[in-house]
């Protein structure tokens, strides 16, 4: 999990400094739209929607934007029909990459993804080419600075809440859950007074891919290019580089 943690720490810093708020809100709106379309517009009865709304609020998305996305999905407003797709490929140095998108035009999205991969030394692959290298997990991060509880006390709370694993790294407690248990674990820990720097269901690589500095630089450019695409919701990969290189990037 350490390589994943290292990348997530970089991503948290990147997200905190990201000035492209409109693009972030658009991605949240699509996520909310899809969750409401599939499971209904009531967050109390739709865990996927509740998670999407929580993530949007954590980025300070206005309530009006959230409500509009839900109304579009439930037929109360006119809007485009989106579909959720996952693309797979290989990045520089043979790294595995998975890209989750929400799009109203799959041909446009596939073309843009193919361009991003080829421009940065990778290639878009067939479905299933790298999916077996990842598994889906709930992921919660409690910053040590936000709690006075010690590690042993938090571990007991985490176990009692039903989580699978907890690790301590880079000034934070990282908690992993079964995806089906994510919401119940999150709610139990919230009731115990904990707040989260990150709370999401994500893809964790089974194995990490070691690359040199040149490949690492190209990989970071690829990830940033993918994340800047309007249709892209999430990017997962198994990059592992020297810690000094990752700090520089």
């Amino acid at each position: 999990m350490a390589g994943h943690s290292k990348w997530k720490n970089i991503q948290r810093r990147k997200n905190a400094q990201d000035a492209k708020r409109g693009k972030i809100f658009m991605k949240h709106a699509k996520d909310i739209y899809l969750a409401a379309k599939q499971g209904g517009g009531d967050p109390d009865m739709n865990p996927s929607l509740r998670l999407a709304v929580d993530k949007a609020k954590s980025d300070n998305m206005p309530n009006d934007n959230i409500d509009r996305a839900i109304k579009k999905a439930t037929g109360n407003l006119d809007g485009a029909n989106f579909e959720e797709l996952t693309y797979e490929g290989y990045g520089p140095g043979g790294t595995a990459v998975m890209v989750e998108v929400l799009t109203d035009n799959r041909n446009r999205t596939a073309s843009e993804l193919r361009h991003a991969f080829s421009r940065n030394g990778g290639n878009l692959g067939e479905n299933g080419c790298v999916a077996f290298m990842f598994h889906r997990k709930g992921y919660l991060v409690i910053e040590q600075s936000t709690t006075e509880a010690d590690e042993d006390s938090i571990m007991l709370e985490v176990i009692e809440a039903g989580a699978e694993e907890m690790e301590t790294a880079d000034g934070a407690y990282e908690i992993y859950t079964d995806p089906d248990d994510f919401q119940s674990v999150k709610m139990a820990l919230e009731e115990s007074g904990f707040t989260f720097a990150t709370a999401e269901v994500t893809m964790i690589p089974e194995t990490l891919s070691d690359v040199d500095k040149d490949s690492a630089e190209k990989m970071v450019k690829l990830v940033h290019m993918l994340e800047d695409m309007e249709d892209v919701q999430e990017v997962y990969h198994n990059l592992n580089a020297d810690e000094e290189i990752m700090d520089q990037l």
Side-chain angles (χ1 to χ4, degrees):
M1 300 289 188
H4 174 262
S5 303
K6 188 188 305 179
W7 179 253
K8 295 305 291 188
N9 289 338
I10 292 173
Q11 286 301 95
R12 289 203 295 271
R13 292 197 295 271
K14 175 182 179 292
N15 291 341
Q17 297 170 358
D18 197 336
K20 299 177 182 177
R21 307 304 296 179
K23 186 166 290 187
I24 290 175
F25 292 164
M26 175 64 74
K27 290 186 177 183
H28 282 311
K30 288 183 177 180
D31 212 8
I32 291 168
Y33 173 93
L34 183 66
K37 191 82 171 178
Q38 293 177 339
D42 184 356
D44 292 331
M45 301 297 293
N46 183 346
S48 296
L49 178 59
R50 183 165 64 246
L51 176 60
V53 169
D54 287 345
K55 289 178 70 174
K57 288 183 175 179
S58 72
D59 280 331
N60 299 314
M61 184 173 179
N63 288 331
D64 286 348
N65 296 40
I66 294 173
D67 292 340
R68 190 177 303 114
I70 294 174
K71 287 178 179 177
K72 280 186 178 181
T74 54
N76 294 323
L77 285 176
D78 293 332
N81 290 316
F82 293 97
E83 57 180 332
E84 188 177 32
L85 302 169
T86 300
Y87 291 87
E88 304 173 39
Y90 296 95
T95 48
V97 184
M98 295 185 66
V99 186
E100 291 182 352
V101 306
L102 196 59
T103 179
D104 58 351
N105 187 329
R106 63 166 62 196
N107 291 331
R108 178 196 67 226
T109 301
S111 176
E112 291 177 352
L113 288 173
R114 192 172 294 109
H115 171 71
F117 273 88
S118 62
R119 181 174 177 179
N120 293 283
N123 61 281
L124 198 61
E126 299 293 329
N127 287 343
C129 66
V130 300
F132 66 94
M133 301 182 189
F134 297 82
H135 57 278
R136 188 170 291 277
K137 290 288 181 183
Y139 179 66
L140 300 158
V141 177
I142 300 172
E143 299 285 0
Q144 291 180 354
S145 59
T146 64
T147 178
E148 296 180 357
D150 59 33
E151 184 174 352
D152 289 340
S153 299
I154 294 176
M155 176 66 81
L156 290 175
E157 294 272 9
V158 167
I159 293 173
E160 187 173 341
E164 293 181 342
E165 182 182 0
M166 187 184 88
E167 295 180 354
T168 304
D170 298 318
Y173 303 108
E174 298 182 313
I175 301 156
Y176 299 89
T177 78
D178 184 280
D180 293 337
D181 297 332
F182 173 78
Q183 281 293 342
S184 62
V185 172
K186 179 174 179 286
M187 291 176 63
L189 293 175
E190 285 176 336
E191 289 174 0
S192 296
F194 296 108
T195 57
F196 306 107
T198 301
E200 62 185 0
V201 176
T202 186
M203 298 294 287
I204 307 292
E206 291 278 1
T207 58
L208 299 175
S209 179
D210 296 319
V211 299
D212 58 21
K213 183 177 181 180
D214 181 61
S215 293
E217 289 175 344
K218 290 179 180 177
M219 182 63 180
V220 171
K221 290 178 181 178
L222 170 60
V223 171
H224 288 176
M225 188 172 180
L226 292 172
E227 288 181 336
D228 283 341
M229 292 173 55
E230 185 175 305
D231 293 337
V232 171
Q233 296 296 103
E234 298 287 350
V235 179
Y236 308 109
H237 60 80
N238 69 342
L239 171 67
N240 189 39
D242 180 86
E243 187 170 352
E244 183 179 351
I245 293 174
M246 293 300 291
D247 287 341
Q248 292 173 0
L249 297 178

